[in-house]
Amino acid sequence: MAVAIGFGQSAAFSKALLFLHRSGRRSFTAFSAPYSSSATAASSSSAFSSADKLRSQKWRAPVASVLERGGVKIARDDVVRDEPTNNIPDTIFTKLGQQLHRRNQHPIGILKNAIYDYFDSNYENKFDKFDDLCPIVTVKQNFDDVLVPADHVSRSYNDTYYIDPQTVLRCHTSAHQAELLSMGHKKFLVTGDVYRRDSIDATHYPVFHQMEGVRVFSPNDWELSGQDGTAYAAEDLKKCLEGLARHLFGAVEMRWIDTYFPFTDPSFELEIYFQEKWLEVLGCGVTEQEILKRSGNSNNVAWAFGLGLERLAMVLFDIPDIRLFWSTDERFTSQFSEGQLGVKFKPFSKFPPCYKDMSFWINESFTENNLCEVIRGIAGDLVEEVCLIDDFTNKKGMTSHCYRIAYRSMERSLTDEEINELQWNVREQVESKLKVVLR
Ligand code: DAH
């Protein structure tokens, strides 16, 4: 699997950031074919049966039944349900409502505010800002309203967290575009936590933060320019985002790459040359006319962009592991202050990793995302990486995978005893939940 084996930044990042990029781009593994919703509903039910849930609770801290943080009130029973069509573990429920992007002294909040500053100082009529929209959205909002095709891989239970067949944890802030356009907003920024089932490594975490920007033009904006609406919007978009990149990164080299998103045409990615690498900064484009038409903006043209805040914050603040954003250790939190973009993080220690390998015969419904969910359910943030190190099929057609799990705490040394216990539980639960045969 491309991501876990190499730490190639751009490959690793692009998977998490722009998963709606092209259909199939996220079905990156030869061994985890994309599933239809119904097929994975069944596989996730076997992955999370009630007995398993009970058993796994032993290994977790007790979970509060209602989260009430940052103005968001969400009951556990509204989100985590023991039903085949629900694939949300407690580890994800505890992240709802934490809202790192609303903490002014947290790198994610500092970056959000720096982007706000750029828009506030460059646009007289300010962009409307939303950073408290509920992450629980309908399938319609998350996918249909932004024209994601019915068979797109991102809709699968393997990739998205479903509360029930009609309700998901948003997997991108684009989920709010259509409703805000329908409400009449013409310039807006939406920041929020987004959720994706994924593999495990230093740049992937099942919860991260995005910012979405949209600007609508009316005919008198472009008529005098001699350009058509689309060309005018595309030019304005590029100018705006190049300015944003300079605001955040200084005088960097940039390039535009043509790409595909379901909700824009034409679509682009902006890359900057930073620390000797091309870094993908964001995805954007001219909004599909169908989205504008449905929202009562038939005569208008608009642009939109979406960017991943962790990805940019890791580079700007030199944060080496995405788990650190969730750390409550003072040695992390005390290093950042309001308004200070790009203060370099000083690692307070590097504790040794401990590697454990496990091999098993997979079955048809096996996916790496399901495996990673089980491992995270037991080891939480102590798991640093899960990496496929061997893969073969025998004469009988049975396929074996060997995974190497790296355990490492950001905050302390782990004892052998603790790791052995974790690994023992991982083996037991991987076997019982994923119905694979350990070797
Ligand atoms: N929603 C996209 C993603 O998560 C990012 C994105 C790309 C948002 C292009 C946009 C856009 O608004 O125009 O991968």
Side-chain angles (χ1 to χ4, degrees):
M1 196 249 308
V3 170
I5 293 167
F7 274 79
Q9 227 180 20
S10 60
F13 274 133
S14 44
K15 184 166 74 70
L17 181 72
L18 300 167
F19 86 120
L20 288 171
H21 194 269
R22 280 177 200 112
S23 76
R25 176 153 164 186
R26 234 186 156 234
S27 60
F28 46 87
T29 50
F31 49 88
S32 80
Y35 284 81
S36 72
S37 298
S38 55
T40 29
S43 83
S44 64
S45 80
S46 63
F48 302 99
S49 73
S50 59
D52 292 333
K53 271 193 175 156
L54 273 180
R55 214 175 308 138
S56 66
Q57 269 158 18
K58 203 166 83 189
W59 308 106
R60 289 199 198 108
V63 177
S65 59
V66 181
L67 288 175
E68 199 181 336
R69 266 172 241 161
V72 179
K73 241 191 227 169
I74 304 161
R76 179 181 179 276
D77 294 351
D78 294 337
V79 178
V80 183
R81 294 198 198 121
D82 193 7
E83 278 159 24
T85 49
N86 181 296
N87 61 356
I88 303 187
D90 280 326
T91 45
I92 289 295
F93 171 69
T94 59
K95 295 291 191 288
L96 283 165
Q98 289 212 24
Q99 299 194 309
L100 303 183
H101 59 286
R102 299 183 79 209
R103 303 184 192 176
N104 293 333
Q105 304 196 330
H106 188 282
I108 299 296
I110 297 168
L111 176 56
K112 179 196 80 172
N113 290 333
I115 301 175
Y116 278 5
D117 287 346
Y118 170 78
F119 281 93
D120 284 350
S121 51
N122 285 284
Y123 295 88
E124 238 173 70
N125 295 320
K126 299 212 157 101
F127 275 65
D128 303 325
K129 302 186 193 76
F130 302 89
D131 70 354
D132 197 16
L133 300 177
C134 184
I136 300 173
V137 300
T138 61
V139 165
K140 179 175 175 298
Q141 289 172 296
N142 199 71
F143 297 119
D144 303 341
D145 287 353
V146 280
L147 314 179
V148 175
D151 60 353
H152 196 282
V153 63
S154 63
R155 291 184 183 246
S156 76
Y157 270 69
N158 191 48
D159 284 34
T160 290
Y161 287 107
Y162 279 79
I163 292 179
D164 61 45
Q166 285 81 41
T167 319
V168 296
L169 300 182
R170 68 181 162 216
C171 61
H172 55 170
T173 44
S174 307
H176 300 287
Q177 266 192 27
E179 59 182 314
L180 292 170
L181 284 167
S182 298
M183 287 161 73
H185 294 282
K186 301 291 183 204
K187 278 215 235 50
F188 56 87
L189 301 172
V190 181
T191 315
D193 37 330
V194 299
Y195 297 78
R196 293 182 196 176
R197 299 186 84 233
D198 216 329
S199 46
I200 298 180
D201 67 32
T203 62
H204 290 88
Y205 202 77
V207 192
F208 59 103
H209 298 78
Q210 283 190 331
M211 189 187 294
E212 190 86 4
V214 175
R215 179 177 188 187
V216 180
F217 298 94
S218 48
N220 45 10
D221 290 322
W222 70 80
E223 267 164 11
L224 287 176
S225 73
Q227 288 175 302
D228 66 31
T230 303
Y232 181 86
E235 194 179 305
D236 186 85
L237 169 69
K238 289 183 172 178
K239 221 171 59 202
C240 167
L241 294 176
E242 285 170 11
L244 174 62
R246 271 192 298 272
H247 176 74
L248 299 177
F249 292 92
V252 284
E253 211 187 317
M254 303 182 204
R255 66 182 185 193
W256 289 99
I257 314 279
D258 289 329
T259 185
Y260 164 81
F261 296 107
F263 21 87
T264 46
D265 187 21
S267 306
F268 315 102
E269 272 164 19
L270 175 60
E271 294 188 346
I272 61 165
Y273 198 69
F274 194 71
Q275 294 169 350
E276 280 152 48
K277 280 188 212 106
W278 283 104
L279 171 76
E280 191 187 304
V281 176
L282 50 80
C284 64
V286 178
T287 304
E288 281 286 356
Q289 208 53 40
E290 180 64 22
I291 298 176
L292 293 177
K293 197 173 101 194
R294 291 187 199 167
S295 64
N297 280 291
S298 296
N299 298 322
N300 301 334
V301 167
W303 57 238
F305 71 85
L307 55 82
L309 293 172
E310 271 79 353
R311 166 198 179 74
L312 299 187
M314 285 179 83
V315 176
L316 286 163
F317 293 92
D318 262 357
I319 294 174
D321 191 301
I322 196 165
R323 291 173 293 165
L324 280 163
F325 289 111
W326 299 92
S327 174
T328 52
D329 191 313
E330 238 189 48
R331 289 170 296 174
F332 177 77
T333 55
S334 66
Q335 292 196 31
F336 308 99
S337 2
E338 185 164 356
Q340 302 289 305
L341 183 71
V343 170
K344 299 300 177 209
F345 169 66
K346 292 181 215 59
F348 38 86
S349 51
K350 189 123 173 114
F351 297 99
C354 173
Y355 299 101
K356 295 279 176 193
D357 293 352
M358 66 184 299
S359 301
F360 46 82
W361 299 107
I362 62 163
N363 54 34
E364 276 198 345
S365 63
F366 176 82
T367 71
E368 190 167 312
N369 286 357
N370 286 345
L371 173 71
C372 288
E373 193 96 274
V374 171
I375 299 172
R376 259 199 229 278
I378 296 159
D381 286 0
L382 296 181
V383 54
E384 175 168 281
E385 188 174 15
V386 175
C387 177
L388 181 69
I389 56 169
D390 190 39
D391 174 3
F392 73 89
T393 302
N394 71 10
K395 281 188 199 138
K396 291 185 198 151
M398 292 160 70
T399 298
S400 164
H401 283 177
C402 180
Y403 285 92
R404 176 157 295 165
I405 305 173
Y407 294 103
R408 190 209 303 256
S409 166
M410 298 272 119
E411 289 151 9
R412 62 193 174 84
S413 273
L414 300 174
T415 63
D416 277 350
E417 202 188 351
E418 187 176 13
I419 292 166
N420 288 339
E421 182 162 321
L422 287 174
Q423 182 65 8
W424 189 82
N425 284 302
V426 165
R427 290 177 65 83
E428 192 187 62
Q429 287 194 30
V430 164
E431 188 168 43
S432 64
K433 290 183 174 180
L434 304 181
K435 311 275 185 270
V436 299
V437 179
L438 295 180
R439 305 182 52 221

